[in-house]
Amino acid sequence: MLYDAHIHCGLGQPFSVKKPDSQELKDGLRQMFENYLALGIGSLRDGGDKWGVGLVAKEIAREFPIHFKSPIHGIYKSGCYGEFLGQSVDNANEACQLIEELYRKKADFIKIILTGIMSFDDFGKTDPAQFNLAELRKMIDRAHDLGLQTMIHANTPSAIKIAVEAGADTIEHGYSIDDAALELLAQSQSIWVPTLAPFANIAACPDHHAMAIYRSVSEKYFEGHQRAVKKAVDLGVKIALGSDSGATLVPHGQGTLDEFRFCQLCGLSEEKLMETGRLLFA
Ligand SMILES: [Zn+2]
């Protein structure tokens, strides 16, 4: 059975996710888990959303022979990127309180959003880091004290460096990574989840799709990222399969299969991916 270390069960769904108690949501999540299992995908790590769909999904997942983990909500800094992915905080102290609250709600790990997504208009750019090294370290330490791993959304070399040095268990996306950050990753215990599918799928979208205007910039991101992942494989970086399913043009189920293919194109064998997956779903 394959796994997917980065999906959003509350995004890209054919049903409304705004009412956690609705029958529509529960039935929709049942359908989602059935689809994943039918495709041979038996372990899923959610990336959180503002509605906390992961909390309902954790309950529903018990009905299935599936391993599902969720941070419930991601944590981001007020006024910065991440509004649809979680709950905001003003500073690291508030973040630590939210981490404790999520722990009490039985979150399986903590998701922290450190940067925005890569710019479609300004290639290679994203927003500056939302937390500095000391702040992020404090948040990660708090999570670790509670026995929770941390999933850090970070793009650009400087933010990736902060995340690795702060002790991130996984680094999500990692676009624009450079050689120094790859070396740092290789020497660390952090696992990289490069999420190749979103830009790859935008780059290949049909003419009539609203995202077609971003095909060429997405192609550039995808190509650069493939080169980086290949280098990471050679350096021995631990890499996990994570599709970002639920994101634009990454449908649940098929997105995982797409990501698996992109990882294989970068030289990652199924065995290697499964080896890293076991660290995340132990
Ligand atoms: Zn995501």
Side-chain angles (χ1 to χ4, degrees), residues 75-142:
I75 300 174
Y76 71 100
K77 182 101 160 261
S78 310
C80 297
Y81 171 84
E83 196 269 336
F84 66 110
L85 294 175
Q87 292 186 342
S88 67
V89 295
D90 284 331
N91 51 54
N93 285 336
E94 260 185 54
C96 288
Q97 284 168 19
L98 181 51
I99 288 167
E100 281 157 31
E101 203 178 296
L102 291 166
Y103 170 78
R104 286 193 293 274
K105 285 184 178 171
K106 304 266 187 289
D108 298 293
F109 58 91
I110 296 297
K111 160 90 178 269
I112 299 168
I113 294 144
L114 188 59
T115 68
I117 54 167
M118 299 310 290
S119 170
F120 284 109
D121 303 312
D122 202 355
F123 180 74
K125 295 279 184 306
T126 187
D127 315 321
Q130 302 183 9
F131 303 98
N132 65 29
L133 175 59
E135 291 168 331
L136 188 66
R137 188 175 275 151
K138 184 172 183 165
M139 294 155 71
I140 290 177
D141 284 351
R142 190 72 203 107

Side-chain angles (χ1 to χ4, degrees), residues 151-202:
M151 177 198 227
I152 313 295
H153 167 130
N155 288 311
T156 71
S158 58
I160 294 164
K161 190 163 178 274
I162 290 175
V164 174
E165 287 178 350
D169 296 281
T170 66
I171 310 273
E172 312 298 310
H173 316 301
Y175 277 82
S176 281
I177 194 164
D178 64 5
D179 288 351
L182 280 170
E183 292 280 356
L184 193 69
L185 254 180
Q187 288 151 22
S188 75
Q189 291 303 308
S190 302
I191 293 169
W192 186 20
V193 187
T195 64
L196 291 145
F199 283 119
N201 288 0
I202 294 170

